[in-house]
Amino acid sequence: MFLSPRWIALLCAALITTITVVFISFVPQTSADIMFVGGISCFISSFFFIYYVIDTLVFREVNKIYTTIKKLKIQDFDIAKKTIIKSINPLSKLNREIYNYVSKKQEEINELKKMETFRREFLADVSHELKTPIFAAQGFVHTLMDGAIEDPDVAQRFLKKAAKSLDGLDILVRDLVVLTQVESGDLKMHLALINLIEIVNEIFEQLETKAKKRGTKLSLKPKSLEKVLVLADPQRISQVLINLIENAIKYGKENGKVQVAITEEDKKVWVSIEDDGPGIPQDQLPRIFERFYRVDKSRSRETGGTGLGLAIVKHILNAHDSSISVSSKIDKGTRFTFHLAKAPKEIA
Ligand SMILES: Nc1ncnc2c1ncn2[C@@H]1O[C@H](COP(=O)(O)OP(=O)(O)OP(=O)(O)O)[C@@H](O)[C@H]1O
Ligand SMILES: [Mg+2]
């Protein structure tokens, strides 16, 4: 209120009038009447003049700019209503609005820059990952065309290798599609009541050959459990468990152990997958959920890994209002843990 045009004009007019009256009083033979009339006319004229100048030329113009900024802001985000109501002085309102607007824009610019870098890196990663199997298959086919096809043994071997590379390419593209879908929220989770024990046992059967090849012993704890009902998308949760158990077999030690432990709570069911393998260095733990990130690049490639598995796992669990955590000790093993919503008691 104090800084409204009216008050400013009033104060200035009072100041000018005081100075004028003081000056007039120095003129010889000046009567009190002249000083009064001079003072009043000086006060009225300077008040209206200053009021007009401030209101028309400054405040209204500033208000117009302020309104424009406000309109611009409304299109983008919520206005900080409180800050607008509190202040009447348009100059400080304008200042605050410009500050809010610019800082919000800066945030958006930073976010866009981050996304741009992320997109660039992702594209570079995808091209790199696609190049490897394509070049391999291309090499085998060209060698066959250049004459290797004449020798049936060599031809058979090269065709097998080309087919393996193309299979890898197929897996990579499929994983990429799933990852893009879960990340963009396009892949809807079809929640249903599922028996976790049944799913884990099915996956153990599915991965039996792989586990046998490495001499890995798969087990479920506690053994006595037969039925644990959770609310989850059966296909997606199987995908999560397959990747985690497969990783534990692939990256765990030979002739080692992989244990899936299930712990029931009131509303949650905790699932952990633990191996007794070489573990993951502490500094790399937060990065293993990034796309294409592999701790031991050569070992992972050798086993046909694309480095997308854990990124997919993370997104699927997020879509289940859950998250995944990992703990690992070098030469002791690695444990991945997540939780799922337990089926309501009346249903279970
Ligand atoms: N149980 C584990 N023990 C040690 N290292 C692991 C374990 N699980 C994952 N890792 C490391 O984390 C990396 C990322 O795993 P992720 O499942 O995302 O990819 P991948 O297994 O290489 O490929 P994909 O799962 O797509 O076939 C692996 O390459 C491996 O280096
Ligand atoms: Mg994996």
Side-chain angles (χ1 to χ4, degrees):
M1 186 191 83
F2 191 66
L3 278 175
S4 74
R6 205 168 301 152
W7 276 97
I8 295 173
L10 209 70
L11 281 176
C12 290
L15 197 71
I16 293 168
T17 309
T18 318
I19 294 168
T20 314
V21 171
V22 169
F23 271 106
I24 294 173
S25 69
F26 288 131
V27 178
Q29 285 135 23
T30 311
S31 66
D33 288 349
I34 292 178
M35 271 171 31
F36 180 74
V37 172
I40 291 290
S41 49
C42 175
F43 182 83
I44 294 172
S45 54
S46 50
F47 172 80
F48 281 110
F49 179 70
I50 294 167
Y51 180 73
Y52 171 78
V53 169
I54 297 178
D55 191 55
T56 320
L57 302 183
V58 182
F59 274 54
R60 275 190 208 167
E61 288 310 312
V62 170
N63 261 330
K64 265 189 224 161
I65 305 172
Y66 168 72
T67 318
T68 317
I69 291 178
K70 211 169 97 178
K71 272 186 200 150
L72 273 173
K73 269 184 75 185
I74 286 170
Q75 287 175 4
D76 295 339
F77 36 78
D78 292 341
I79 323 163
K81 285 201 180 90
K82 275 185 203 151
T83 60
I84 292 167
I85 295 162
K86 260 189 215 160
S87 168
I88 289 173
N89 178 6
L91 281 171
S92 65
K93 271 204 293 187
L94 181 67
N95 190 13
R96 202 165 301 161
E97 287 307 296
I98 290 176
Y99 176 79
N100 284 347
Y101 189 66
V102 170
S103 55
K104 201 84 191 175
K105 283 287 155 208
Q106 194 53 46
E107 264 173 39
E108 280 175 28
I109 292 170
N110 291 346
E111 188 62 26
L112 286 173
K113 275 189 187 161
K114 227 166 65 191
M115 277 165 69
E116 168 62 21
T117 323
F118 179 71
R119 214 169 291 142
R120 214 176 320 121
E121 281 174 5
F122 180 58
L123 212 63
D125 282 343
V126 172
S127 342
H128 177 79
E129 295 302 323
L130 289 174
K131 237 168 40 190
T132 319
I134 291 175
F135 279 3
Q138 199 182 26
F140 293 128
V141 172
H142 278 289
T143 322
L144 284 168
M145 280 163 63
D146 290 345
I149 200 150
E150 308 296 338
D151 182 339
D153 276 353
V154 177
Q156 181 72 11
R157 208 152 38 87
F158 276 34
L159 274 174
K160 260 191 192 157
K161 284 188 176 175
K164 198 176 166 207
S165 296
L166 292 175
D167 287 346
L169 191 65
D170 179 44
I171 294 172
L172 173 63
V173 173
R174 260 191 280 167
D175 278 354
L176 273 173
V177 171
V178 175
L179 187 64
T180 320
Q181 282 175 333
V182 266
E183 272 189 356
S184 61
D186 283 349
L187 198 73
K188 293 274 162 291
M189 296 296 142
H190 301 289
L191 297 187
L193 284 178
I194 52 173
N195 182 3
L196 210 53
I197 308 296
E198 206 174 70
I199 291 193
V200 173
N201 282 327
E202 270 171 27
I203 294 169
F204 278 177
E205 272 174 35
Q206 214 175 308
L207 296 175
E208 204 180 276
T209 332
K210 273 190 187 158
K212 263 198 186 137
K213 258 193 201 160
R214 300 212 77 215
T216 312
K217 200 171 162 290
L218 302 175
S219 63
L220 177 67
K221 191 180 125 186
K223 283 195 180 82
S224 55
L225 276 181
E226 276 180 10
K227 196 175 174 193
V228 173
L229 284 183
V230 290
L231 198 61
D233 183 321
Q235 212 192 335
R236 299 296 156 205
I237 286 304
S238 297
Q239 202 175 353
V240 165
L241 286 165
I242 288 175
N243 186 55
L244 293 174
I245 300 171
E246 201 177 14
N247 277 355
I249 299 172
K250 274 201 293 192
Y251 308 115
K253 71 172 180 202
E254 267 193 288
N255 303 318
K257 279 186 259 171
V258 172
Q259 188 178 64
V260 177
I262 291 176
T263 320
E264 289 184 83
E265 269 182 14
D266 217 21
K267 290 188 172 152
K268 285 178 188 169
V269 173
W270 289 92
V271 185
S272 74
I273 294 93
E274 192 174 354
D275 64 64
D276 53 359
I280 302 166
Q282 217 58 30
D283 58 324
Q284 304 205 29
L285 276 184
R287 301 207 57 192
I288 56 170
F289 298 100
E290 288 173 19
R291 303 148 151 167
F292 301 115
Y293 193 83
R294 302 171 179 112
V295 178
D296 181 351
K297 309 230 170 353
S298 55
R299 165 109 192 88
S300 175
R301 257 203 205 102
E302 197 183 291
T303 51
T306 60
L308 289 177
L310 288 176
I312 296 175
V313 163
K314 185 180 103 178
H315 284 289
I316 293 179
L317 289 172
N318 287 350
H320 280 83
D321 288 328
S322 180
S323 58
I324 180 141
S325 62
V326 57
S327 62
S328 187
K329 275 203 183 116
I330 296 296
D331 293 331
K332 287 261 169 357
T334 309
R335 183 200 287 143
F336 287 89
T337 314
F338 64 91
H339 68 82
L340 291 171
K342 196 174 175 181
K345 274 203 179 78
E346 52 277 18
I347 300 172

